[in-house]
Amino acid sequence: MKVAVLGFGTVGVGVYEMLKNAPGLEAGPVLVRPGKEDADFKVSSMEAILADPSVGAVAEVMGGIEPANTYVSMALGAGRHVVTSNKALVAAHGIELAKLAREKGVSFLFSAACGGGVPFLHNLAIAAQSDRILALGGILNGTTNFMLDAMQSEGKDYGDVLRQAQALGYAEADPTADVSGLDALRKIMLACAVAYDKLPVDGFCLEGIESITAGDVAHFQSRGLTCRLVTSGGEAGESVCAYVEPVLFRASAPECSVLKNFNMAKYLGENAGSIVLMGQGAGRFPTASAVVRDLCGLGTLEMLRPACRKVTADNSACVHAYYVRTDAANAARFSFTESACADSVVRGVTEPMSVPAMHALAEEIRKEGGALFFAAMG
Amino acid sequence: MKVAVLGFGTVGVGVYEMLKNAPGLEAGPVLVRPGKEDADFKVSSMEAILADPSVGAVAEVMGGIEPANTYVSMALGAGRHVVTSNKALVAAHGIELAKLAREKGVSFLFSAACGGGVPFLHNLAIAAQSDRILALGGILNGTTNFMLDAMQSEGKDYGDVLRQAQALGYAEADPTADVSGLDALRKIMLACAVAYDKLPVDGFCLEGIESITAGDVAHFQSRGLTCRLVTSGGEAGESVCAYVEPVLFRASAPECSVLKNFNMAKYLGENAGSIVLMGQGAGRFPTASAVVRDLCGLGTLEMLRPACRKVTADNSACVHAYYVRTDAANAARFSFTESACADSVVRGVTEPMSVPAMHALAEEIRKEGGALFFAAMG
């Protein structure tokens, strides 16, 4: 089957190369912007691509919501399978696109949009058919994992590792989406939709790693703890929980072996138990491999089913003890089971408290000009 | 689709229960031995099962080669999909059964035969379609992992943890297949067949954990190392490599976070990079979940392709440095880069040497009555 590739950036080039060696698949035309048609296989007309009846599937790896949504809708409407790596597109229009795919009897798959090369959504979609998914999540942002790992292994401070990540191409010039946890949050939205037929669109709790210091990391290390930015989702009555926050793990936790810019995704199945998947969360060929894997598996698998609907996330039943570092003036606002004060900085571990309560208190303290870092005790 | 279940032991009961809740699937008749038909859904005639046209698939979870092979052949011959958890069957007759399945246009899948609840073979089969698998393997035997973890975490000796594993139902009365590494070897045979179209049937190197002592484990712990029984496979020219041996890992390796009776499987894809999967390697519902997952994914996926053929494994190009503990009298037979002698026992690390050379030397020393334990440096 001939596969057209929409976009010829990092991932697009990888997909195009991999299609040359995938049995049963064939690299078709590549859609580029008008004026960029510098080779025979590059075209700038989506209509021309869809006019070729030998194009059976489209790989959308251009990113962004428009014109990706228009092109994907056109492809599905024309009865072509679509595989995409575009998490923004799926979060914004996935439900409608999946319905269109079902109407047309074609597949709409997006493994590469969550976890890069880690085959998370594919396995989650299969597991959700036959098992009850009790919880899901993991380390879904490679940039922040690279930074946290470098802070721990090299003792560097936040600014240094951010510049290092930017120099290596792991972080963008504006790193906000990564370091704020927003990128990871977008991924858990998709995972919840796949596992629960519920796409959370608001009600999230989001804490990134912008407040962490070398002092925090040294403190964790001295206690045998490792900090990771973790994305969590799960059932919550009629809704789902979905939040991102730093978490501290003991050395035996698999999260501690997620080094550099790797990802780790997991789910807890009522029958299967805990299933953990690790791999490269980004990069040309890892991400392309996820796209091509979806293309090889076109068939009956539906990642978003017709029952899928948008919900407001509800994190109120999610409760953790938290490590908190804050100014002495704000320490009394927490109920610590243990704490210590040095140089007007208090570090403590709270009684178990709900995720929204912790995130709201942090926001309040920061609004008032206070400093604070927190991480759930894993 | 109605699914008949062959066998009603630990896994069979799990599959039967799970089928009741799997959308699109329905629990059909269960094949039991004559005289064991103590409920309406239990029958003792394979012919009666296949005479029911509403039975579209068969889950074979009885184990053993016969009568499983006969029944599976009958089911495939009658145009029914077959999913099995039976590694002995697949190793012995998988190639012929897969050919029969292809002839009849049905699926023959066996995810549960390698890694229990860990979706290894499924993902490996998909990856092998579009990527080059450079290496594969992992911790594929939960019994020995439980024992090694207990030796390390509780400081117990081999006999104690074996009795503990038996009391918990993790080890059989005759634990040989597990502790010798044979069970793990059978699993890597299947993984090689799936990844490389080559089923290794001899030429293996096999070292279990029977020679490990509490002293070895204490020695590893003092150096920050963790011992795991690891199964390795990979390309080797016209053949494949396939061997089982203990391996020592540094604390940051994901293998160290595989605790209790969990499994970890991994593969290295030329494009995808390293993909690691962890989960429950055995148990009623984890194993049943792998069977049901395969049943949910019946379609175009082939785990054994027509090109698959039997080969003799070739481990000659696999080279590691080894930790060796042996009697002082045998120490001179190794080329150590470092070693120490205490109470006539030498512990050392060898220069890199080939896997067959290490295994042959160990066999020779033991034949002569010498004591020895070895583990590759991971």
Side-chain angles (χ1 to χ4, degrees):
Chain A
M1 185 174 60
K2 204 186 274 185
V3 180
V5 181
L6 312 189
F8 208 57
T10 302
V11 180
V13 171
V15 171
Y16 189 77
E17 290 302 314
M18 282 191 73
L19 284 171
K20 293 180 183 169
N21 296 312
L25 299 178
E26 191 187 336
V30 172
L31 186 76
V32 295
R33 263 172 257 167
K36 301 277 182 186
E37 309 94 329
D38 55 9
D40 278 355
F41 63 90
K42 298 186 189 174
V43 300
S44 62
S45 158
M46 189 65 190
E47 288 79 3
I49 287 175
L50 296 177
D52 178 353
S54 71
V55 171
V58 165
E60 187 276 302
V61 289
M62 56 203 304
I65 292 181
E66 281 299 345
N69 184 44
T70 301
Y71 293 160
V72 168
S73 302
M74 287 169 69
L76 293 171
R80 279 16 184 260
H81 301 289
V82 171
V83 170
T84 178
S85 61
N86 188 335
K87 55 186 175 291
L89 173 66
V90 181
H93 300 294
I95 293 178
E96 298 74 33
L97 294 170
K99 279 185 184 145
L100 180 56
R102 175 175 267 228
E103 274 171 37
K104 297 291 178 175
V106 293
S107 293
F108 175 63
L109 302 175
F110 47 89
S111 288
C114 175
V118 182
F120 183 45
L121 294 187
H122 170 88
N123 283 286
L124 190 63
I126 294 173
Q129 291 180 306
S130 58
D131 204 351
R132 185 174 158 212
I133 309 300
L134 303 175
L136 54 83
I139 299 169
L140 297 177
N141 180 271
T143 307
T144 48
N145 203 69
F146 172 85
M147 291 171 63
L148 291 170
D149 183 37
M151 286 182 81
Q152 178 161 325
S153 61
E154 301 169 32
K156 290 184 175 164
D157 75 19
Y158 181 84
D160 285 339
V161 297
L162 176 56
R163 279 184 292 276
Q164 196 181 344
Q166 286 169 325
L168 289 166
Y170 295 156
E172 313 212 13
D174 176 0
T176 313
D178 288 322
V179 298
S180 70
L182 187 61
D183 173 80
L185 187 69
R186 285 178 180 147
K187 292 168 180 167
I188 207 76
M189 291 166 66
L190 305 193
C192 284
V194 169
Y196 301 118
D197 293 334
K198 291 168 193 163
L199 175 73
V201 292
D202 51 23
F204 305 114
C205 294
L206 180 62
E207 174 75 13
I209 63 164
E210 294 136 306
S211 305
I212 197 169
T213 63
D216 292 322
V217 174
H219 180 83
F220 305 149
Q221 271 197 285
S222 71
R223 282 152 182 77
L225 298 171
T226 292
C227 184
R228 294 289 182 250
L229 186 64
V230 173
T231 317
S232 300
E235 289 184 324
E238 290 300 298
S239 180
V240 292
C241 60
Y243 58 97
V244 179
E245 60 187 16
V247 178
L248 302 182
F249 293 97
R250 287 179 204 288
S252 63
E255 282 81 357
C256 300
S257 62
V258 182
L259 305 179
K260 302 201 175 96
N261 63 335
F262 272 64
N263 277 202
M264 184 194 109
K266 60 182 179 180
Y267 64 86
L268 178 65
E270 188 172 36
N271 291 300
S274 167
I275 299 287
V276 176
L277 302 101
M278 292 187 202
Q280 285 276 6
R284 169 169 289 173
F285 286 107
T287 307
S289 76
V291 172
V292 177
R293 246 185 357 232
D294 276 352
L295 287 166
C296 288
L298 293 172
T300 55
L301 183 67
E302 274 188 308
M303 285 190 173
L304 288 181
R305 288 168 296 272
C308 191
R309 61 190 169 85
K310 294 185 179 180
V311 299
T312 294
D314 176 4
N315 295 313
S316 58
C318 303
V319 171
H320 307 291
Y322 282 94
Y323 161 87
V324 175
R325 183 254 306 151
T326 190
D327 342 273
N330 284 307
R333 302 167 79 157
F334 293 92
S335 179
F336 286 127
T337 56
E338 50 171 307
S339 66
C341 184
D343 300 328
S344 300
V345 172
V346 171
R347 297 178 193 276
V349 176
T350 70
E351 301 271 6
M353 58 194 289
S354 81
V355 170
M358 178 69 238
H359 286 245
L361 188 47
E363 192 181 346
E364 205 177 294
I365 289 172
R366 286 176 183 145
K367 260 194 195 146
E368 296 166 10
L372 169 131
F373 173 77
F374 69 90
M377 302 300 292
Chain B
M1 184 174 58
K2 204 186 273 186
V3 181
V5 181
L6 313 189
F8 207 58
T10 301
V11 180
V13 171
V15 171
Y16 189 78
E17 291 301 314
M18 282 192 72
L19 284 172
K20 294 180 182 169
N21 296 313
L25 299 178
E26 191 188 335
V30 173
L31 186 75
V32 295
R33 264 172 256 166
K36 300 279 183 187
E37 309 94 331
D38 55 9
D40 279 355
F41 64 90
K42 297 186 189 174
V43 301
S44 62
S45 158
M46 190 64 191
E47 288 79 3
I49 287 175
L50 297 176
D52 178 353
S54 70
V55 171
V58 165
E60 188 277 301
V61 289
M62 56 204 302
I65 292 180
E66 281 299 344
N69 185 42
T70 301
Y71 293 161
V72 167
S73 302
M74 286 169 70
L76 293 171
R80 276 25 180 254
H81 302 289
V82 171
V83 171
T84 178
S85 61
N86 189 334
K87 56 186 172 291
L89 173 67
V90 181
H93 300 294
I95 293 178
E96 297 75 33
L97 293 170
K99 279 186 183 144
L100 181 55
R102 175 175 266 226
E103 274 170 39
K104 297 291 177 175
V106 292
S107 293
F108 176 63
L109 302 175
F110 46 90
S111 288
C114 175
V118 182
F120 183 45
L121 294 187
H122 170 88
N123 283 287
L124 190 63
I126 294 172
Q129 291 181 308
S130 58
D131 205 352
R132 186 174 159 213
I133 309 300
L134 304 175
L136 54 85
I139 298 169
L140 298 177
N141 180 270
T143 308
T144 48
N145 202 70
F146 173 85
M147 291 171 63
L148 291 170
D149 183 36
M151 286 182 81
Q152 178 161 326
S153 60
E154 301 169 34
K156 290 184 176 164
D157 75 18
Y158 180 84
D160 285 339
V161 296
L162 176 55
R163 278 185 292 277
Q164 195 181 344
Q166 287 169 324
L168 289 166
Y170 294 156
E172 313 211 11
D174 176 0
T176 312
D178 289 322
V179 297
S180 71
L182 187 60
D183 173 80
L185 187 69
R186 285 178 180 146
K187 291 169 180 166
I188 206 76
M189 292 166 66
L190 305 193
C192 284
V194 168
Y196 301 118
D197 293 334
K198 292 168 193 163
L199 175 73
V201 291
D202 51 23
F204 305 115
C205 295
L206 180 62
E207 175 75 12
I209 63 163
E210 294 135 307
S211 304
I212 198 169
T213 63
D216 293 322
V217 174
H219 180 82
F220 305 149
Q221 272 197 284
S222 71
R223 281 154 183 77
L225 298 171
T226 293
C227 184
R228 293 288 181 252
L229 186 65
V230 173
T231 317
S232 300
E235 288 184 325
E238 290 300 299
S239 179
V240 292
C241 61
Y243 58 97
V244 179
E245 60 187 15
V247 178
L248 302 181
F249 293 97
R250 288 178 203 287
S252 62
E255 283 81 357
C256 299
S257 62
V258 182
L259 304 179
K260 302 203 174 93
N261 63 335
F262 272 64
N263 276 202
M264 183 193 110
K266 60 181 181 179
Y267 65 85
L268 179 64
E270 189 172 34
N271 291 300
S274 167
I275 300 286
V276 175
L277 303 100
M278 293 186 201
Q280 286 277 4
R284 168 169 291 172
F285 286 108
T287 307
S289 76
V291 171
V292 177
R293 243 181 3 226
D294 277 352
L295 287 166
C296 288
L298 294 172
T300 55
L301 183 66
E302 274 187 308
M303 286 190 172
L304 288 181
R305 287 167 298 271
C308 191
R309 60 190 170 84
K310 294 184 179 180
V311 299
T312 293
D314 176 4
N315 295 313
S316 59
C318 303
V319 171
H320 308 291
Y322 282 95
Y323 161 88
V324 174
R325 182 254 306 151
T326 189
D327 342 274
N330 283 308
R333 301 167 81 158
F334 293 92
S335 180
F336 287 127
T337 56
E338 49 171 307
S339 67
C341 182
D343 299 328
S344 300
V345 171
V346 172
R347 298 177 192 277
V349 176
T350 70
E351 300 271 8
M353 59 193 291
S354 82
V355 170
M358 178 69 237
H359 286 245
L361 188 47
E363 191 181 345
E364 205 175 295
I365 288 171
R366 286 177 183 143
K367 260 193 194 146
E368 296 165 11
L372 170 133
F373 173 78
F374 69 90
M377 302 301 293

